[in-house]
Amino acid sequence: MRHVVIGGGIGGVCCVEELCRLVPQDVVTLVTASPALKGVSGVVRLSKYVEEFKVVERRAESMVRRNLRIVRGRVVGLDLAARTVSLAVTHQGPTTQQQQQQQRQQQQQQSGTEEAEELLPYDTLCICAGARPKVLAHHDRVVTLRDTESMQDFAHRLAGSRRVVVVGNGGIALELVGSVRGVEVIWVIRHSHIADAFFDVDAAEFLLGEMQWRQEQEKAQQEQEQADGGVQTQDRDKSQKSMTRQQQQQQQQQEEVWQQHGAPDQRQQKAQGRQELGAALGPKWTEALPKGPPANVKLERSAQVSRQSSD
Ligand SMILES: Cc1cc2nc3c(=O)[nH]c(=O)nc-3n(C[C@H](O)[C@H](O)[C@H](O)COP(=O)(O)OP(=O)(O)OC[C@H]3O[C@@H](n4cnc5c(N)ncnc54)[C@H](O)[C@@H]3O)c2cc1C
């Protein structure tokens, strides 16, 4: 039997791992559009329904199974009657050391990453291509968070921003509003209370109060630190002027990391112009955000974005 799994996110990778284990006599093919694969490690079953685990990201080449073939490419069509997947292939993942060596030699001889069309036959097909976010506007000031690249783009732009409008009322918006630093945040939710999908009104109001209280505490603590010898910068915006020396160092380190990913304009084009999305982010994704003083959060309840002006 030939099993084909589309998608290198957690869904696809877990599916492939189980298939390789359960049917070692069959050939399992993983098709991934991005060079990085997601996965889980250190799974601890806490109860019948609750598990704890770490989300890991690794190079496709590092996932080796005897009956696994990894194809780096984009699925561009499906023929359900003929049972074939049409691929625009960028890279064939080797499964053995010998294949890896041959591939390295081929790569040295070839230049570029030209795509070739390939038909992949299957007996069983599992589609784990993920979900697409609802993009409200295509504009150079609008970032839609989903994967590592869009996150890096957002984090970089945050460093030079004074005000951020967060639109959304799910888990991602909730975590983001609680983690963004050094800016004014206007949080637009279409419900009457925050995190409508998770909490009832009472729990939501309690959480909001708690969040604001913590932010005020942190702000007061930082002001105290400033008074006790924090440094002032001359050329940054007002919110960054109140950063402590430690926060400035953290921010500087962060900016150095971002510089390695290219200029903001290039990264933005890359993030917005990509044909395929990478795997979606997971737990602890907000750790890459710049550090700084707590944000001022203003909540806009029962509001929806209807139009976004071009300037
Ligand atoms: C900001 C953010 C924070 C999150 N935080 C958490 C959290 O804390 N806890 C939690 O449990 N979940 C979290 N999630 C949700 C979690 O990331 C997703 O539920 C999970 O990653 C979905 O996995 P998936 O494999 O179904 O899809 P994805 O991770 O989206 O993977 C889909 C894969 O398919 C590939 N693909 C797509 N189209 C094609 C094609 N045509 N050809 C070939 N390959 C293709 C993509 O490149 C990708 O590798 C978060 C999500 C986001 C965006």
Side-chain angles (χ1 to χ4, degrees), residues 6-12 33-34 73-75 128-130 146 172 276-283 285:
I6 301 171
I10 290 181
S34 60
R74 211 158 31 90
V75 173
C128 308
R146 186 187 184 279
I172 295 171
E276 292 307 328
L277 302 159
L281 291 160
W285 63 278

PDB file of all heavy atoms in Angstrom, residues 6-12 33-34 73-75 128-130 146 172 276-283 285, ligand 1:
ATOM      1  N   ILE A   6      -0.336  14.802   3.185  1.00  0.00           N
ATOM      2  CA  ILE A   6      -0.002  16.167   2.740  1.00  0.00           C
ATOM      3  C   ILE A   6       0.038  17.091   3.951  1.00  0.00           C
ATOM      4  O   ILE A   6      -0.940  17.193   4.694  1.00  0.00           O
ATOM      5  CB  ILE A   6      -1.055  16.696   1.736  1.00  0.00           C
ATOM      6  CG1 ILE A   6      -1.135  15.783   0.513  1.00  0.00           C
ATOM      7  CG2 ILE A   6      -0.722  18.128   1.307  1.00  0.00           C
ATOM      8  CD1 ILE A   6      -2.299  16.111  -0.415  1.00  0.00           C
ATOM      9  N   GLY A   7       1.182  17.771   4.143  1.00  0.00           N
ATOM     10  CA  GLY A   7       1.288  18.771   5.215  1.00  0.00           C
ATOM     11  C   GLY A   7       2.320  18.406   6.265  1.00  0.00           C
ATOM     12  O   GLY A   7       2.295  17.310   6.820  1.00  0.00           O
ATOM     13  N   GLY A   8       3.246  19.343   6.510  1.00  0.00           N
ATOM     14  CA  GLY A   8       4.327  19.102   7.481  1.00  0.00           C
ATOM     15  C   GLY A   8       4.074  19.764   8.824  1.00  0.00           C
ATOM     16  O   GLY A   8       5.004  20.005   9.587  1.00  0.00           O
ATOM     17  N   GLY A   9       2.801  20.055   9.135  1.00  0.00           N
ATOM     18  CA  GLY A   9       2.459  20.582  10.468  1.00  0.00           C
ATOM     19  C   GLY A   9       2.320  19.436  11.458  1.00  0.00           C
ATOM     20  O   GLY A   9       2.623  18.280  11.143  1.00  0.00           O
ATOM     21  N   ILE A  10       1.837  19.749  12.647  1.00  0.00           N
ATOM     22  CA  ILE A  10       1.721  18.717  13.676  1.00  0.00           C
ATOM     23  C   ILE A  10       0.812  17.577  13.211  1.00  0.00           C
ATOM     24  O   ILE A  10       1.116  16.397  13.415  1.00  0.00           O
ATOM     25  CB  ILE A  10       1.170  19.331  14.984  1.00  0.00           C
ATOM     26  CG1 ILE A  10       2.231  20.233  15.600  1.00  0.00           C
ATOM     27  CG2 ILE A  10       0.766  18.251  15.969  1.00  0.00           C
ATOM     28  CD1 ILE A  10       1.810  20.870  16.882  1.00  0.00           C
ATOM     29  N   GLY A  11      -0.289  17.951  12.544  1.00  0.00           N
ATOM     30  CA  GLY A  11      -1.239  16.933  12.084  1.00  0.00           C
ATOM     31  C   GLY A  11      -0.572  15.943  11.148  1.00  0.00           C
ATOM     32  O   GLY A  11      -0.636  14.716  11.358  1.00  0.00           O
ATOM     33  N   GLY A  12       0.101  16.451  10.105  1.00  0.00           N
ATOM     34  CA  GLY A  12       0.725  15.585   9.107  1.00  0.00           C
ATOM     35  C   GLY A  12       1.858  14.761   9.689  1.00  0.00           C
ATOM     36  O   GLY A  12       1.973  13.555   9.421  1.00  0.00           O
ATOM     37  N   ALA A  33       5.252  21.569   2.038  1.00  0.00           N
ATOM     38  CA  ALA A  33       5.571  22.760   1.244  1.00  0.00           C
ATOM     39  C   ALA A  33       6.725  23.535   1.866  1.00  0.00           C
ATOM     40  O   ALA A  33       7.440  24.251   1.185  1.00  0.00           O
ATOM     41  CB  ALA A  33       4.341  23.652   1.133  1.00  0.00           C
ATOM     42  N   SER A  34       6.904  23.399   3.186  1.00  0.00           N
ATOM     43  CA  SER A  34       7.960  24.175   3.851  1.00  0.00           C
ATOM     44  C   SER A  34       9.103  23.256   4.272  1.00  0.00           C
ATOM     45  O   SER A  34       8.888  22.070   4.532  1.00  0.00           O
ATOM     46  CB  SER A  34       7.385  24.905   5.067  1.00  0.00           C
ATOM     47  OG  SER A  34       6.851  23.974   5.969  1.00  0.00           O
ATOM     48  N   GLY A  73       7.449  19.825  -1.659  1.00  0.00           N
ATOM     49  CA  GLY A  73       6.742  20.371  -2.814  1.00  0.00           C
ATOM     50  C   GLY A  73       5.365  20.859  -2.438  1.00  0.00           C
ATOM     51  O   GLY A  73       4.902  20.670  -1.317  1.00  0.00           O
ATOM     52  N   ARG A  74       4.744  21.500  -3.391  1.00  0.00           N
ATOM     53  CA  ARG A  74       3.432  22.087  -3.199  1.00  0.00           C
ATOM     54  C   ARG A  74       2.405  21.251  -3.943  1.00  0.00           C
ATOM     55  O   ARG A  74       2.590  20.949  -5.121  1.00  0.00           O
ATOM     56  CB  ARG A  74       3.473  23.494  -3.807  1.00  0.00           C
ATOM     57  CG  ARG A  74       2.610  24.516  -3.188  1.00  0.00           C
ATOM     58  CD  ARG A  74       3.142  25.913  -3.514  1.00  0.00           C
ATOM     59  NE  ARG A  74       3.805  26.030  -4.792  1.00  0.00           N
ATOM     60  CZ  ARG A  74       3.196  26.347  -5.928  1.00  0.00           C
ATOM     61  NH1 ARG A  74       1.908  26.566  -5.947  1.00  0.00           N
ATOM     62  NH2 ARG A  74       3.879  26.447  -7.052  1.00  0.00           N
ATOM     63  N   VAL A  75       1.336  20.871  -3.274  1.00  0.00           N
ATOM     64  CA  VAL A  75       0.277  20.139  -3.965  1.00  0.00           C
ATOM     65  C   VAL A  75      -0.512  21.146  -4.793  1.00  0.00           C
ATOM     66  O   VAL A  75      -1.018  22.138  -4.265  1.00  0.00           O
ATOM     67  CB  VAL A  75      -0.651  19.424  -2.956  1.00  0.00           C
ATOM     68  CG1 VAL A  75      -1.849  18.810  -3.669  1.00  0.00           C
ATOM     69  CG2 VAL A  75       0.124  18.354  -2.209  1.00  0.00           C
ATOM     70  N   CYS A 128      -3.562  17.067   5.504  1.00  0.00           N
ATOM     71  CA  CYS A 128      -3.366  17.822   6.761  1.00  0.00           C
ATOM     72  C   CYS A 128      -2.781  19.186   6.397  1.00  0.00           C
ATOM     73  O   CYS A 128      -1.720  19.572   6.893  1.00  0.00           O
ATOM     74  CB  CYS A 128      -2.409  17.092   7.696  1.00  0.00           C
ATOM     75  SG  CYS A 128      -2.831  15.390   8.019  1.00  0.00           S
ATOM     76  N   ALA A 129      -3.446  19.884   5.480  1.00  0.00           N
ATOM     77  CA  ALA A 129      -2.877  21.129   4.939  1.00  0.00           C
ATOM     78  C   ALA A 129      -3.186  22.352   5.796  1.00  0.00           C
ATOM     79  O   ALA A 129      -2.874  23.472   5.413  1.00  0.00           O
ATOM     80  CB  ALA A 129      -3.371  21.342   3.512  1.00  0.00           C
ATOM     81  N   GLY A 130      -3.790  22.157   6.953  1.00  0.00           N
ATOM     82  CA  GLY A 130      -4.001  23.274   7.877  1.00  0.00           C
ATOM     83  C   GLY A 130      -5.148  24.180   7.473  1.00  0.00           C
ATOM     84  O   GLY A 130      -5.865  23.928   6.513  1.00  0.00           O
ATOM     85  N   ARG A 146       0.117  33.860  11.751  1.00  0.00           N
ATOM     86  CA  ARG A 146      -0.177  32.444  11.575  1.00  0.00           C
ATOM     87  C   ARG A 146       1.040  31.550  11.807  1.00  0.00           C
ATOM     88  O   ARG A 146       0.980  30.596  12.539  1.00  0.00           O
ATOM     89  CB  ARG A 146      -0.720  32.169  10.176  1.00  0.00           C
ATOM     90  CG  ARG A 146      -1.166  30.717  10.050  1.00  0.00           C
ATOM     91  CD  ARG A 146      -1.557  30.346   8.670  1.00  0.00           C
ATOM     92  NE  ARG A 146      -2.048  28.987   8.663  1.00  0.00           N
ATOM     93  CZ  ARG A 146      -1.267  27.934   8.638  1.00  0.00           C
ATOM     94  NH1 ARG A 146       0.042  28.076   8.638  1.00  0.00           N
ATOM     95  NH2 ARG A 146      -1.777  26.718   8.625  1.00  0.00           N
ATOM     96  N   ILE A 172      -5.549  33.487  20.208  1.00  0.00           N
ATOM     97  CA  ILE A 172      -4.348  34.165  19.710  1.00  0.00           C
ATOM     98  C   ILE A 172      -4.376  35.639  20.113  1.00  0.00           C
ATOM     99  O   ILE A 172      -3.394  36.183  20.616  1.00  0.00           O
ATOM    100  CB  ILE A 172      -4.241  34.006  18.178  1.00  0.00           C
ATOM    101  CG1 ILE A 172      -4.036  32.527  17.832  1.00  0.00           C
ATOM    102  CG2 ILE A 172      -3.100  34.835  17.611  1.00  0.00           C
ATOM    103  CD1 ILE A 172      -4.134  32.205  16.362  1.00  0.00           C
ATOM    104  N   GLU A 276       2.588  29.538  -0.260  1.00  0.00           N
ATOM    105  CA  GLU A 276       2.158  28.572   0.741  1.00  0.00           C
ATOM    106  C   GLU A 276       2.511  29.071   2.126  1.00  0.00           C
ATOM    107  O   GLU A 276       3.521  29.724   2.334  1.00  0.00           O
ATOM    108  CB  GLU A 276       2.855  27.226   0.517  1.00  0.00           C
ATOM    109  CG  GLU A 276       2.415  26.531  -0.731  1.00  0.00           C
ATOM    110  CD  GLU A 276       0.917  26.370  -0.841  1.00  0.00           C
ATOM    111  OE1 GLU A 276       0.249  26.230   0.201  1.00  0.00           O
ATOM    112  OE2 GLU A 276       0.407  26.407  -1.956  1.00  0.00           O
ATOM    113  N   LEU A 277       1.696  28.721   3.073  1.00  0.00           N
ATOM    114  CA  LEU A 277       1.969  29.090   4.450  1.00  0.00           C
ATOM    115  C   LEU A 277       2.821  28.011   5.088  1.00  0.00           C
ATOM    116  O   LEU A 277       2.744  26.853   4.714  1.00  0.00           O
ATOM    117  CB  LEU A 277       0.644  29.186   5.208  1.00  0.00           C
ATOM    118  CG  LEU A 277      -0.369  30.171   4.643  1.00  0.00           C
ATOM    119  CD1 LEU A 277      -1.753  29.827   5.129  1.00  0.00           C
ATOM    120  CD2 LEU A 277       0.017  31.575   5.051  1.00  0.00           C
ATOM    121  N   GLY A 278       3.617  28.431   6.086  1.00  0.00           N
ATOM    122  CA  GLY A 278       4.333  27.425   6.861  1.00  0.00           C
ATOM    123  C   GLY A 278       3.364  26.836   7.871  1.00  0.00           C
ATOM    124  O   GLY A 278       2.197  27.205   7.921  1.00  0.00           O
ATOM    125  N   ALA A 279       3.865  25.916   8.705  1.00  0.00           N
ATOM    126  CA  ALA A 279       2.995  25.320   9.721  1.00  0.00           C
ATOM    127  C   ALA A 279       2.592  26.385  10.733  1.00  0.00           C
ATOM    128  O   ALA A 279       3.345  27.322  11.009  1.00  0.00           O
ATOM    129  CB  ALA A 279       3.729  24.180  10.408  1.00  0.00           C
ATOM    130  N   ALA A 280       1.398  26.241  11.298  1.00  0.00           N
ATOM    131  CA  ALA A 280       0.883  27.229  12.249  1.00  0.00           C
ATOM    132  C   ALA A 280       1.705  27.215  13.533  1.00  0.00           C
ATOM    133  O   ALA A 280       2.319  26.205  13.878  1.00  0.00           O
ATOM    134  CB  ALA A 280      -0.576  26.927  12.558  1.00  0.00           C
ATOM    135  N   LEU A 281       1.699  28.359  14.232  1.00  0.00           N
ATOM    136  CA  LEU A 281       2.470  28.473  15.475  1.00  0.00           C
ATOM    137  C   LEU A 281       1.848  27.622  16.581  1.00  0.00           C
ATOM    138  O   LEU A 281       0.741  27.117  16.438  1.00  0.00           O
ATOM    139  CB  LEU A 281       2.512  29.940  15.910  1.00  0.00           C
ATOM    140  CG  LEU A 281       3.348  30.847  15.008  1.00  0.00           C
ATOM    141  CD1 LEU A 281       2.966  32.291  15.200  1.00  0.00           C
ATOM    142  CD2 LEU A 281       4.819  30.645  15.284  1.00  0.00           C
ATOM    143  N   GLY A 282       2.566  27.526  17.697  1.00  0.00           N
ATOM    144  CA  GLY A 282       2.051  26.713  18.802  1.00  0.00           C
ATOM    145  C   GLY A 282       2.320  27.372  20.129  1.00  0.00           C
ATOM    146  O   GLY A 282       2.582  28.576  20.182  1.00  0.00           O
ATOM    147  N   PRO A 283       2.284  26.608  21.233  1.00  0.00           N
ATOM    148  CA  PRO A 283       2.476  27.180  22.564  1.00  0.00           C
ATOM    149  C   PRO A 283       3.769  27.999  22.661  1.00  0.00           C
ATOM    150  O   PRO A 283       4.737  27.715  21.978  1.00  0.00           O
ATOM    151  CB  PRO A 283       2.560  25.946  23.462  1.00  0.00           C
ATOM    152  CG  PRO A 283       1.875  24.867  22.705  1.00  0.00           C
ATOM    153  CD  PRO A 283       2.095  25.160  21.259  1.00  0.00           C
ATOM    154  N   TRP A 285       4.432  30.887  21.617  1.00  0.00           N
ATOM    155  CA  TRP A 285       4.787  31.648  20.423  1.00  0.00           C
ATOM    156  C   TRP A 285       5.040  33.110  20.735  1.00  0.00           C
ATOM    157  O   TRP A 285       5.728  33.787  19.987  1.00  0.00           O
ATOM    158  CB  TRP A 285       3.688  31.504  19.373  1.00  0.00           C
ATOM    159  CG  TRP A 285       2.368  32.066  19.799  1.00  0.00           C
ATOM    160  CD1 TRP A 285       1.445  31.452  20.588  1.00  0.00           C
ATOM    161  CD2 TRP A 285       1.834  33.348  19.491  1.00  0.00           C
ATOM    162  NE1 TRP A 285       0.363  32.271  20.783  1.00  0.00           N
ATOM    163  CE2 TRP A 285       0.575  33.446  20.120  1.00  0.00           C
ATOM    164  CE3 TRP A 285       2.282  34.429  18.731  1.00  0.00           C
ATOM    165  CZ2 TRP A 285      -0.224  34.572  20.027  1.00  0.00           C
ATOM    166  CZ3 TRP A 285       1.481  35.551  18.634  1.00  0.00           C
ATOM    167  CH2 TRP A 285       0.244  35.612  19.278  1.00  0.00           C
TER     168      TRP A 285
HETATM  169  C1  LIG B   1      -0.426  32.298  16.644  1.00  0.00           C
HETATM  170  C2  LIG B   1      -0.887  30.888  16.945  1.00  0.00           C
HETATM  171  C3  LIG B   1      -0.755  30.375  18.226  1.00  0.00           C
HETATM  172  C4  LIG B   1      -1.193  29.091  18.529  1.00  0.00           C
HETATM  173  N1  LIG B   1      -1.027  28.614  19.797  1.00  0.00           N
HETATM  174  C5  LIG B   1      -1.424  27.358  20.094  1.00  0.00           C
HETATM  175  C6  LIG B   1      -1.251  26.815  21.402  1.00  0.00           C
HETATM  176  O1  LIG B   1      -0.738  27.489  22.290  1.00  0.00           O
HETATM  177  N2  LIG B   1      -1.671  25.548  21.651  1.00  0.00           N
HETATM  178  C7  LIG B   1      -2.245  24.774  20.667  1.00  0.00           C
HETATM  179  O2  LIG B   1      -2.605  23.619  20.934  1.00  0.00           O
HETATM  180  N3  LIG B   1      -2.434  25.260  19.425  1.00  0.00           N
HETATM  181  C8  LIG B   1      -2.040  26.521  19.120  1.00  0.00           C
HETATM  182  N4  LIG B   1      -2.252  27.023  17.864  1.00  0.00           N
HETATM  183  C9  LIG B   1      -2.964  26.186  16.892  1.00  0.00           C
HETATM  184  C10 LIG B   1      -2.033  25.154  16.301  1.00  0.00           C
HETATM  185  O3  LIG B   1      -0.906  25.800  15.746  1.00  0.00           O
HETATM  186  C11 LIG B   1      -2.766  24.428  15.179  1.00  0.00           C
HETATM  187  O4  LIG B   1      -3.950  23.871  15.676  1.00  0.00           O
HETATM  188  C12 LIG B   1      -1.921  23.291  14.623  1.00  0.00           C
HETATM  189  O5  LIG B   1      -0.622  23.715  14.340  1.00  0.00           O
HETATM  190  C13 LIG B   1      -2.563  22.793  13.357  1.00  0.00           C
HETATM  191  O6  LIG B   1      -1.713  21.807  12.805  1.00  0.00           O
HETATM  192  P1  LIG B   1      -1.980  21.235  11.370  1.00  0.00           P
HETATM  193  O7  LIG B   1      -0.944  20.206  11.123  1.00  0.00           O
HETATM  194  O8  LIG B   1      -3.398  20.825  11.244  1.00  0.00           O
HETATM  195  O9  LIG B   1      -1.816  22.471  10.359  1.00  0.00           O
HETATM  196  P2  LIG B   1      -0.583  23.436  10.058  1.00  0.00           P
HETATM  197  O10 LIG B   1       0.308  23.602  11.228  1.00  0.00           O
HETATM  198  O11 LIG B   1      -1.180  24.651   9.459  1.00  0.00           O
HETATM  199  O12 LIG B   1       0.235  22.655   8.949  1.00  0.00           O
HETATM  200  C14 LIG B   1      -0.208  22.580   7.619  1.00  0.00           C
HETATM  201  C15 LIG B   1       0.964  22.173   6.760  1.00  0.00           C
HETATM  202  O13 LIG B   1       0.493  21.918   5.437  1.00  0.00           O
HETATM  203  C16 LIG B   1       1.377  22.525   4.505  1.00  0.00           C
HETATM  204  N5  LIG B   1       0.620  22.819   3.285  1.00  0.00           N
HETATM  205  C17 LIG B   1      -0.430  23.657   3.132  1.00  0.00           C
HETATM  206  N6  LIG B   1      -0.844  23.661   1.850  1.00  0.00           N
HETATM  207  C18 LIG B   1      -0.040  22.789   1.184  1.00  0.00           C
HETATM  208  C19 LIG B   1       0.050  22.359  -0.183  1.00  0.00           C
HETATM  209  N7  LIG B   1      -0.778  22.808  -1.145  1.00  0.00           N
HETATM  210  N8  LIG B   1       1.013  21.470  -0.513  1.00  0.00           N
HETATM  211  C20 LIG B   1       1.861  20.982   0.435  1.00  0.00           C
HETATM  212  N9  LIG B   1       1.824  21.350   1.739  1.00  0.00           N
HETATM  213  C21 LIG B   1       0.894  22.247   2.099  1.00  0.00           C
HETATM  214  C22 LIG B   1       1.886  23.785   5.208  1.00  0.00           C
HETATM  215  O14 LIG B   1       3.109  24.231   4.656  1.00  0.00           O
HETATM  216  C23 LIG B   1       2.050  23.255   6.637  1.00  0.00           C
HETATM  217  O15 LIG B   1       3.315  22.674   6.811  1.00  0.00           O
HETATM  218  C24 LIG B   1      -1.806  28.296  17.529  1.00  0.00           C
HETATM  219  C25 LIG B   1      -1.940  28.810  16.229  1.00  0.00           C
HETATM  220  C26 LIG B   1      -1.476  30.085  15.930  1.00  0.00           C
HETATM  221  C27 LIG B   1      -1.619  30.609  14.521  1.00  0.00           C
END
